Amino acid sequence: MKTGRNISRFFIFLIALSVACERPDARPAPDGVAPSVGESAISTGTAASSRAAPMTWVPSRSSAQFDSSVDRDEVEALIQRWLDAQNRGDFEAYSHLYDDVFEGLTVSAATSNPHELDRQSWLNSERRRFERPMKVSVEDVQIDTFAESAEVLFVENRETVDRRYEGPKELFVVRQGDELRIAAEVMIESRAFEAEREASAPDPAELGLVLNEGQDEHQESYLVIDTEPEPDWFGEEIEYKGTTAARSPVIADTFPGDLMQWQNRSVDLFDADGNQCTGAVAGLYGLSRAIPHFGQIAHWGGTPGAHGEPLNEPATEEVIADGVWELGNRPLAVARLELDDDCVAEPVWGRAMQGDATPLESVELADYEQDAVLAAFRELDRYRSIQNYFLEQDDTEMREQSDGSWSTHWSAEPRIDAYRSSEHDRIFVMVSAQAGVGCGGFYGELAQLFEVRNGGDVPWVVEWGDFNEYMESTAMVDVNGDGIPAVLGNSRRWGHVDYLLSSTGVEHRLVEKLDVPSHDCGC
């Protein structure tokens, strides 16, 4: 047996007894004093955290072990791999870090009771955590190295969709061949808190939605730089861009200085297939969009009478522009783009030139992956609710025009858009289903973002948030370099809406919803 690996079950029992009897009060901290999470994944400190008394685990060792052939950098690299595997949901990589001879001790945040586990029991328990997104970091890291082992003490912070856990943890690390492995892990204390997190829209310099608006020769591309501008940012002159869009130049004296810096700025632009091109900002405007009622459009055009003669004079472009501006919601602050010749398709997003945001690559899922994703989609509570409504319809012919599920009604098929982060080897999938015509008949719609993870013969399909909007994905973009993308999408069924979802690290939330108000009849 190697030196430093004599970790007896009796010693684990003593630790469990000590944890149960001597550790500090594990009740949640009072409101407003919940411990903070370190900014980096590994945050080193000096003494152990004052939030819990450290419990130093001292396995038997000889004085010769203080020669320290285990390098501190090796241990830090192991901890980083341990964190990365959890944060990207890679259970196989996580399991590989644990020694064949392993003993673990956990403390329940709910009951405060300690539980001793062998390697298989530990991994079986941990596997359930990997079925949902999580974000794990550590702080106040202390490392003691010996000849063939090391002890690591830190405060672990772990976030899930609905809870946050914090507490001191200790690892005992040994060398196995050329690599280090975790031979023992002790959760000294675990405290649970309500999850409090927000998702925010990225800076437009990193990721901004591009809108392609206007009709015929008036169509142009605009980068959205502010979604809640003040009314006095724009002048009284309204420019005609067709019957669905109008714009007004900004007023230099009232337009914010930081937004004014977009003028003449060079930008990188990306289409829905991830193709990159370049352009430049050629003007700053307020942009109003609307879908007028067909009667309004006919009136603007000069409604014909019974014999074809106009009942009114056709409206001027100035009148139409004023009408569209009024019909629209709050205008958007946008940068008008002049596209270079290398832009062969309409861009859907942009960034300041040489920014760090990176588009994920559009990929095709294997058949077994598609089957797993669709199975997870149909297990959603929201899907089942629509399915029940579908089956309640008193229309046998309608149900016969599907495979029995609402999402295939009238030959509809769920849409699957899959994207891969090559740097982080992660695959995210947006599934969108829309079926029926509404207007008194059946109609159902649903969209859900998943991550497909390697689970062997049957892939793991993990949900990434419930944003309660229907959308079809147009792009996914890694803004923070962590492989978790912001998601761009739109909906065209009832009007025109553009969406942007941003990640909190454990779920996606809707951060921008740019809807074009429709004044037309939907049926």
Side-chain angles (χ1 to χ4, degrees), residues 38-215:
E39 292 182 359
S40 59
I42 299 180
S43 174
T44 58
T46 53
S49 171
S50 61
R51 289 178 286 241
M55 181 169 296
T56 305
W57 188 347
V58 186
S60 59
R61 57 179 179 259
S62 67
S63 59
Q65 290 177 271
F66 286 91
D67 293 339
S68 187
S69 65
V70 171
D71 187 80
R72 180 186 178 89
D73 291 341
E74 284 186 281
V75 179
E76 289 184 347
L78 172 67
I79 299 170
Q80 190 61 59
R81 292 196 300 274
W82 182 76
L83 290 169
D84 290 344
Q86 293 177 85
N87 289 328
R88 68 173 184 267
D90 190 339
F91 184 73
E92 183 177 353
Y94 176 80
S95 302
H96 182 71
L97 300 176
Y98 285 84
D99 192 47
D100 295 338
V101 180
F102 171 85
E103 293 182 83
L105 184 72
T106 66
V107 178
S108 170
T111 66
S112 302
N113 295 326
H115 302 279
E116 181 188 346
L117 301 170
D118 60 18
R119 184 182 191 276
Q120 192 58 54
S121 299
W122 178 274
L123 293 178
N124 288 342
S125 175
E126 291 289 283
R127 184 184 180 95
R128 291 191 291 271
R129 291 199 298 116
F130 283 74
E131 295 174 357
R132 303 177 71 190
M134 58 182 162
K135 183 165 65 174
V136 184
S137 62
V138 296
E139 59 185 2
D140 297 338
V141 179
Q142 301 172 70
I143 300 174
D144 291 322
T145 59
F146 309 104
E148 295 186 7
S149 64
E151 295 173 60
V152 186
L153 181 67
F154 52 75
V155 175
E156 179 187 53
N157 301 281
R158 177 163 50 89
E159 295 184 63
T160 63
V161 172
D162 51 3
R163 302 287 282 174
R164 181 172 68 84
Y165 301 90
E166 179 179 295
K169 177 173 282 190
E170 190 163 13
L171 304 180
F172 184 67
V173 176
V174 299
R175 187 176 296 285
Q176 186 183 85
D178 295 331
E179 298 182 340
L180 297 182
R181 293 286 188 272
I182 300 171
E185 184 168 332
V186 176
M187 180 186 294
I188 300 172
E189 179 186 8
S190 179
R191 293 184 289 173
F193 303 86
E194 292 294 330
E196 296 181 4
R197 65 180 66 88
E198 295 182 358
S200 57
D203 187 319
E206 283 294 335
L207 168 60
L209 288 169
V210 173
L211 308 176
N212 300 285
E213 298 295 341
Q215 293 174 314

Side-chain angles (χ1 to χ4, degrees), residues 224-443:
V224 179
I225 58 176
D226 196 296
T227 59
E228 297 181 348
E230 297 298 328
D232 64 353
W233 291 5
F234 315 112
E236 296 183 359
E237 177 188 356
I238 309 299
E239 299 179 6
Y240 173 83
K241 288 295 157 183
T243 59
T244 59
R247 73 187 188 193
S248 176
V250 302
I251 300 174
D253 291 341
T254 57
F255 199 64
D258 58 327
L259 298 181
M260 189 64 76
Q261 295 179 8
W262 278 95
Q263 182 73 322
N264 301 320
R265 197 170 188 176
S266 297
V267 294
D268 292 322
L269 301 168
F270 299 83
D271 63 25
D273 294 324
N275 299 312
Q276 181 177 348
C277 64
T278 55
V281 174
L284 302 173
Y285 296 88
L287 178 68
S288 181
R289 305 180 294 164
I291 301 174
H293 190 276
F294 69 89
Q296 179 66 71
I297 295 176
H299 178 75
W300 284 336
T303 306
H307 301 289
E309 74 280 8
L311 296 182
N312 58 276
E313 290 296 323
T316 64
E317 290 186 351
E318 181 180 0
V319 169
I320 296 173
D322 288 342
V324 173
W325 185 269
E326 293 300 324
L327 289 173
N329 285 338
R330 188 177 191 172
L332 304 168
V334 298
R336 182 175 71 84
L337 303 173
E338 284 190 352
L339 309 185
D340 292 347
D341 293 338
D342 57 348
C343 295
V344 296
E346 290 184 345
V348 296
W349 70 278
R351 68 184 187 199
M353 185 166 283
Q354 298 180 342
D356 295 328
T358 305
L360 271 63
E361 174 191 6
S362 178
V363 296
E364 291 288 336
L365 296 179
D367 289 345
Y368 76 98
E369 292 173 322
Q370 288 198 35
D371 292 343
V373 167
L374 289 176
F377 185 64
R378 289 180 172 134
E379 287 296 317
L380 296 172
D381 289 341
R382 289 173 295 147
Y383 187 99
R384 291 181 173 182
S385 178
I386 300 173
Q387 180 69 14
N388 291 336
Y389 171 64
F390 176 71
L391 296 177
E392 290 170 359
Q393 303 300 303
D394 187 18
D395 190 337
T396 303
E397 181 181 356
M398 180 190 75
R399 289 193 293 273
E400 289 176 349
Q401 293 172 342
S402 72
D403 64 2
S405 61
W406 70 264
S407 57
T408 59
H409 172 49
W410 278 4
S411 302
E413 290 186 6
R415 169 173 167 163
I416 298 177
D417 295 300
Y419 299 83
R420 178 176 179 269
S421 168
S422 56
E423 180 179 357
H424 297 272
D425 195 23
R426 302 180 72 164
I427 296 177
F428 290 83
V429 182
M430 179 67 76
V431 183
S432 312
Q434 193 176 57
V437 295
C439 299
F442 169 78
Y443 177 75

